[in-house]
Amino acid sequence: MRQATIERVTRETEVRLTLGLDGPVGGTVASGLPFLDHMLEQLVRHGRFQLDVEARGDLEVDAHHLVEDVGITLGMALARALGDRVGIERYASAFVPMDETLVHAVLDLSGRPHLAFEPEALGVAGAPGGVSVFHLREFLRGLTNHGGLTLHLRVLAGREAHHVIEASFKALARALHAATRLTHDELPSSKGVL
Ligand SMILES: [Mn+2]
C-alpha cells in the first residue's frame, strides 16, 4: 500500500495529512476552511484516494496561507507515497465539465516541478468561501513544487469561480488517479530515473 503521512508546522499553519494512493477510498477532511474541504473531498471521490487532512491556519488573515500550505503538504505526501515511481503510468489527463464550465488537466509525474496555469487570463471573479482562482494557483504551486510533477491546467469554458475551481479539482483528481496507477514493472523513463 503506497501511503504517506506528513506533518508540517509553520508560524502560519499546522497541517497533518495522510495520503493513500491505493485506498481505502475515503478519510476525514477538516482543514478549517469549508470550501477547501469541499475541494479536498473531490480529490477523495474522483481520485479514489485515501485522504485525511487535519489543519489549522491563520484564517484571521485570509485563506492564502492555509490553501497554499495544504497544497505543499499534499505534494510532500504524494512524492513520499510514490517512492521510486517504478511501475507508475506517469502521464495522464482528464477533461471534466460542470454545466457551463470545462477544465482540462494534463500531468506528468516526472519528478520535475512545473505548473502551467494562468488565472489572470480567465476573467473569473469571486472567491467562494474565501477561495479564489489565485488561491487555486497557490495550492497547485505547492502541489507541483513538492510533489515533483508537471501540471497543465486549462480552463476551456466557465466564468463562475465555484464551478471553475471545483471542476479543476475534479480534473486534477481523475488525472492523478490515472497517472499514479501501477501499470507495469519498470520505470517509465528512457533516462532511467524520475
Ligand atoms: Mn460544489
Side-chain angles (χ1 to χ4, degrees), residues 93-104:
S93 64
F95 287 99
V96 167
M98 280 186 74
D99 302 335
E100 79 296 338
T101 296
L102 177 62
V103 174
H104 193 200

Side-chain angles (χ1 to χ4, degrees), residues 82-91 108-112 148 179 184 186-194:
L82 283 171
D84 61 13
R85 306 192 185 209
V86 169
I88 62 168
E89 182 62 18
R90 180 177 168 181
Y91 295 99
D108 173 12
L109 297 176
S110 59
R112 298 188 305 277
H184 46 267
E186 294 168 355
L187 196 65
S189 167
S190 57
K191 201 188 298 175
V193 63
L194 284 179

Side-chain angles (χ1 to χ4, degrees), residues 43-188:
L43 287 180
V44 173
R45 291 298 147 208
H46 300 285
R48 285 166 262 167
F49 297 127
Q50 175 199 4
L51 184 63
D52 291 295
V53 180
E54 186 187 347
R56 279 188 298 163
D58 55 353
L59 292 172
E60 69 282 5
V61 178
D62 70 3
H64 186 117
H65 297 143
L66 181 67
V67 173
E68 178 181 17
D69 290 0
V70 171
I72 289 170
T73 311
L74 180 65
M76 293 167 73
L78 176 65
R80 189 175 295 176
L82 283 171
D84 61 13
R85 306 192 185 209
V86 169
I88 62 168
E89 182 62 18
R90 180 177 168 181
Y91 295 99
S93 64
F95 287 99
V96 167
M98 280 186 74
D99 302 335
E100 79 296 338
T101 296
L102 177 62
V103 174
H104 193 200
V106 182
L107 61 83
D108 173 12
L109 297 176
S110 59
R112 298 188 305 277
H114 186 88
L115 174 65
F117 174 56
E118 295 180 11
E120 289 84 357
L122 299 177
V124 172
V131 178
S132 73
V133 288
F134 299 96
H135 295 124
L136 171 62
R137 178 166 61 189
E138 296 308 313
F139 181 95
L140 297 174
R141 268 188 187 144
L143 174 65
T144 52
N145 282 339
H146 293 269
L149 64 144
T150 288
L151 171 65
H152 289 252
L153 188 71
R154 294 285 153 78
V155 178
L156 302 172
R159 292 288 178 272
E160 197 279 311
H162 189 127
H163 274 181
V164 167
I165 298 169
E166 184 167 342
S168 297
F169 268 88
K170 286 177 169 171
L172 171 66
R174 288 182 59 83
L176 266 181
H177 177 80
T180 54
R181 289 316 86 198
L182 293 169
T183 52
H184 46 267
D185 299 329
E186 294 168 355
L187 196 65

